[in-house]
Amino acid sequence: MSDGASLAIETHGLTKRFGQHDAVKGVDLAVPHGAVFGFLGPNGSGKTTTIRLLLGLANPTSGEAVVLGGAMPRESATVLPRVGALVEGPGFYPYLSGSDNLHRLDTADRYATGASRKRRVAAALDRVGLSAASAKKVKAYSLGMKQRLGIANALLTPRELLVLDEPTNGLDPQGTREVRSLVRELAAEGTTVFVSSHLLAEIEQICTHAAIMSAGALVAQGTLDELRGSGRGAVILKTPDAALADSVLSRLGLTVQSTPVASGAMAELTADLIGATTEASDIVAALVEAGVRVNGFTVEQTSLEDRFVDLTGAGFNVEQ
Amino acid sequence: MLSSEPMTVPTVSGQPLGDEVDVRARPAAGWALLRSEISVLFRRKRTWAMLVALAAVPILIALAVRLTESNPRSNGGSGPAFLDEITHNGLFVAALGLTVCIPLFLPLTVGVVAGDTIAGEASAGTLRYLLIAPAGRLRLLVVKYIGAAVFSLAATLTVAAAGALIGAALFPIGPVTLLSGNTIGVGESLVRSLLIASFITISLLGLSAIGLFFSTLTDVPVGAMAATIVVSVVSQVLDNLPQLDWLHPWLFSNYWLSFGDLLRDPISWTSFGENALLQGAYFIIFGALAFGRFSTKDVLS
């Protein structure tokens, strides 16, 4: 199903106020169809509240959210059957088995057929590796198993959009890898995936796009390369000819950021590439031409983590 | 360092997992959720524990009466209605059990189920998943209310059936003399018992609606349950104050013990009708309040 809109999720000035406190303020999200969209931010930055607004669980104080071409929460009835979601951890009936829980939640979707329910539940459980535990009561599940069951619930019918809020929470490293490959698989099938996390490494590996939240506001958004700062970082040069190298680099328009203590005759120079026009290969050519002896030359890309910390602050404090 | 491949944006289409149709083009009527609600209700141990406790009431009374039967009656006719009749006719145990259960035990169990409807889902974390399925808020309320009503019926029938069975086991069974003096056969008297059970089920519908409304106000099911039970006690206390007789016709518990009219011949339907009307009014008012609250509620549980 594809509608005219090119965006799977689009919000304009989305704001949610609780009392005096803006949990989400003026968020303008643009999630393209087919993207794996990482929704990043520290704890308490408004990620889950935004997701609740997108899914029609909460009403925005102001602004609007359009999901799969339908305004939320007004068009929930036609939008949500096409959306699978895991919101703020799994929620299940502890006294029912894993597969009975999925049966129960599937009956709430009037677009899902009863005839195929059994098969779909089994397929979803299989997809998250829970087939062996499907008859066990959920109260006997570990946190990681509940998390898997939550993801299975999001996959009960074919979805156009998956919203996964901290999907790897409580999972072991093996489970985290499985979720990553599952997301890749789903994206390859054409599903748009909106995945929130406070763990960057997870997101960086699977996303095509990302947005960064801080204290309720969207501070950055774009493709991963755009966010990393055009994919450029810095060069680190090891050379005994520090002075000569410095002058060559300066001539190329680069600012040599730091010249740490020369150990013996060896110096290490770091030059920032952001904003520079010269390619790394040209820098090496220029250095060699000028007779600089190069012992080591490394191009370091800005990691998303650096950007994340730049934008949200490095501290552990929960910002309000 | 990680590098991401530039990705072409694929066109979106739902990929079915198999060849069978998984998704319909138009929504189904939604009976599946109601079936699921009732099946989940009766798969909870708590539900069965409450039904067993209710069944125990007429059984314990019948046993107590049977074991002390040889003694001359010492309490001089005090005690609930029908107590004296059961030694002559076991069929009265059903009516006696209902009379004993209606003031407290039945409202208690109905309060637990009705108070749990929405708040219980919220506290389990399943409410958000039902809503994003999407169950639809009005549909979920209706399904939950029907679930509570079905429980009320099951609870009432449990008391009546347990009473009839233990009565038949411990006491003689025979034609029943009605309050109006006429006599009816055993079959007819079972029909009257079912009428009384339906009268009491209807009597509990107003309370169920109140419980549903309370349940939309909180994420703590115990709070909604307690509030519902307290309301039922308060209503009965007010009903017993003669100074407030102007208020009595408006109290949902006003007709709770008025099923005696169903034991006359011909049956007097007046209190049955008035009770149904009153419970209907409570259903409309508290159903509307519940919808008003729940339809715009931010679900943050």
Side-chain angles (χ1 to χ4, degrees):
Chain A
M1 220 181 298
S2 88
D3 26 49
S6 59
L7 294 172
I9 299 175
E10 193 177 358
T11 72
H12 298 290
L14 195 64
T15 300
K16 181 66 184 178
R17 183 172 300 135
F18 294 118
Q20 293 297 306
H21 163 61
D22 284 334
V24 173
K25 41 191 172 195
V27 167
D28 298 310
L29 273 174
V31 179
H33 275 296
V36 178
F37 194 97
F39 194 43
L40 298 167
N43 296 325
S45 56
K47 300 191 297 294
T48 300
T49 305
T50 306
I51 288 174
R52 285 181 187 282
L53 294 170
L54 293 178
L55 296 174
L57 289 171
N59 304 292
T61 307
S62 63
E64 55 164 4
V66 178
V67 177
L68 298 177
M72 297 298 288
R74 203 157 32 84
E75 290 173 55
S76 297
T78 51
V79 168
L80 290 178
R82 297 181 279 149
V83 180
L86 175 72
V87 193
E88 202 169 23
F92 291 107
Y93 306 90
Y95 49 89
L96 294 183
S97 72
S99 75
D100 286 346
N101 263 291
L102 295 191
H103 271 266
R104 156 74 168 167
L105 293 173
D106 194 60
T107 59
D109 178 359
R110 292 196 291 161
Y111 288 87
T113 58
S116 63
R117 186 163 294 137
K118 215 170 186 171
R119 181 179 50 72
R120 286 183 292 107
V121 166
L125 285 167
D126 186 50
R127 207 153 188 189
V128 298
L130 272 184
S131 294
S134 64
K136 228 189 216 181
K137 291 220 160 84
V138 164
K139 65 180 162 210
Y141 276 26
S142 68
L143 176 59
M145 289 164 81
K146 284 182 192 157
Q147 193 74 14
R148 286 164 189 255
L149 191 59
I151 296 169
N153 175 50
L155 302 175
L156 280 173
T157 56
R159 312 288 194 184
E160 285 173 57
L161 169 67
L162 273 182
V163 177
L164 302 174
D165 188 12
E166 307 272 1
T168 57
N169 220 358
L171 292 182
D172 47 25
Q174 176 63 26
T176 306
R177 284 178 61 157
E178 285 169 24
V179 167
R180 273 203 294 264
S181 74
L182 185 64
V183 168
R184 282 201 193 97
E185 245 173 68
L186 292 162
E189 289 168 14
T191 307
T192 308
V193 184
F194 184 83
V195 52
S196 90
S197 183
H198 62 279
L199 297 174
L200 291 147
E202 279 175 22
I203 294 254
E204 202 165 7
Q205 293 180 40
I206 51 172
C207 291
T208 56
H209 296 69
I212 299 177
M213 291 282 285
S214 178
L218 195 64
V219 288
Q221 162 169 242
T223 65
L224 234 50
D225 284 346
E226 283 165 7
L227 282 175
R228 285 195 189 114
S230 322
R232 299 170 72 99
V235 294
I236 299 167
L237 172 67
K238 276 187 191 159
T239 175
D241 309 322
L244 187 53
D246 198 345
S247 71
V248 173
L249 292 174
S250 305
R251 190 145 41 81
L252 289 170
L254 300 167
T255 29
V256 182
Q257 273 188 332
S258 55
T259 315
V261 207
S263 53
M266 201 67 69
E268 197 171 278
L269 286 83
T270 307
D272 210 338
L273 271 181
I274 293 171
T277 49
T278 326
E279 292 298 321
S281 46
D282 297 336
I283 299 173
V284 184
L287 287 168
V288 172
E289 198 179 314
V292 177
R293 290 170 292 165
V294 178
N295 280 59
F297 186 86
T298 320
V299 182
E300 206 160 68
Q301 292 215 319
T302 323
S303 73
L304 201 53
E305 186 155 5
D306 295 336
R307 286 288 286 162
F308 184 78
V309 171
D310 284 350
L311 289 166
T312 62
F316 280 108
N317 296 331
V318 174
E319 289 173 58
Q320 291 298 327
Chain B
M1 283 294 112
L2 301 162
S3 66
S4 72
E5 324 276 323
M7 181 166 159
T8 50
V9 178
T11 46
V12 174
S13 65
Q15 303 275 326
L17 296 166
D19 22 279
E20 207 175 334
V21 183
D22 294 334
V23 181
R24 12 173 134 244
R26 290 162 170 280
W31 291 106
L33 182 62
L34 179 60
R35 275 200 303 275
S36 157
E37 175 65 27
I38 291 167
S39 118
V40 167
L41 176 65
F42 286 100
R43 282 159 77 181
R44 283 195 85 160
K45 282 194 191 125
R46 188 181 73 192
T47 307
W48 287 102
M50 292 192 298
L51 292 179
V52 167
L54 285 170
V57 172
I59 293 173
L60 289 176
I61 295 172
L63 281 173
V65 171
R66 184 79 178 83
L67 293 175
T68 56
E69 204 183 350
S70 49
N71 304 340
R73 204 186 301 136
S74 52
N75 56 5
S78 71
F82 309 114
L83 189 58
D84 299 336
E85 280 89 347
I86 68 171
T87 51
H88 310 304
N89 195 336
L91 290 174
F92 276 108
V93 180
L96 172 63
L98 288 169
T99 310
V100 172
C101 285
I102 186 77
L104 183 62
F105 296 116
L106 282 170
L108 202 71
T109 53
V110 168
V112 167
V113 172
D116 197 45
T117 45
I118 300 296
E121 299 280 358
S123 85
T126 43
L127 181 58
R128 58 177 181 270
Y129 289 107
L130 287 171
L131 291 181
I132 61 184
R137 295 190 181 212
L138 177 59
R139 197 160 68 99
L140 186 61
L141 277 180
V142 169
V143 162
K144 283 288 177 185
Y145 183 75
I146 295 174
V150 166
F151 176 81
S152 302
L153 178 65
T156 313
L157 287 177
T158 300
V159 175
L165 290 174
I166 192 74
L170 297 183
F171 303 105
I173 293 282
V176 173
T177 307
L178 294 174
L179 300 178
S180 51
N182 321 37
T183 303
I184 54 168
V186 173
E188 170 75 17
S189 79
L190 288 176
V191 172
R192 298 286 176 116
S193 293
L194 286 177
L195 273 181
I196 294 175
S198 56
F199 179 91
I200 292 180
T201 304
I202 291 169
S203 297
L204 293 167
L205 293 180
L207 183 64
S208 299
I210 294 172
L212 182 73
F213 170 58
F214 286 162
S215 201
T216 61
L217 300 179
T218 173
D219 294 343
V220 185
V222 176
M225 294 174 193
T228 311
I229 294 161
V230 165
V231 162
S232 89
V233 171
V234 168
S235 172
Q236 293 179 83
V237 169
L238 296 179
D239 218 357
N240 279 317
L241 295 178
Q243 292 83 353
L244 295 176
D245 57 355
W246 54 270
L247 182 67
H248 293 170
W250 306 99
L251 294 170
F252 62 86
S253 62
N254 192 39
Y255 297 95
W256 278 8
L257 288 166
S258 309
F259 54 83
D261 288 355
L262 298 172
L263 292 174
R264 294 178 206 284
D265 202 31
I267 294 176
S268 157
W269 291 100
T270 321
S271 52
F272 196 100
E274 283 174 354
N275 184 34
L277 211 60
L278 179 68
Q279 302 299 330
Y282 271 91
F283 163 73
I284 288 169
I285 292 167
F286 283 92
L289 285 172
F291 179 67
R293 174 73 189 115
F294 190 56
S295 61
T296 56
K297 188 182 184 181
D298 286 341
V299 174
L300 304 172
S301 58

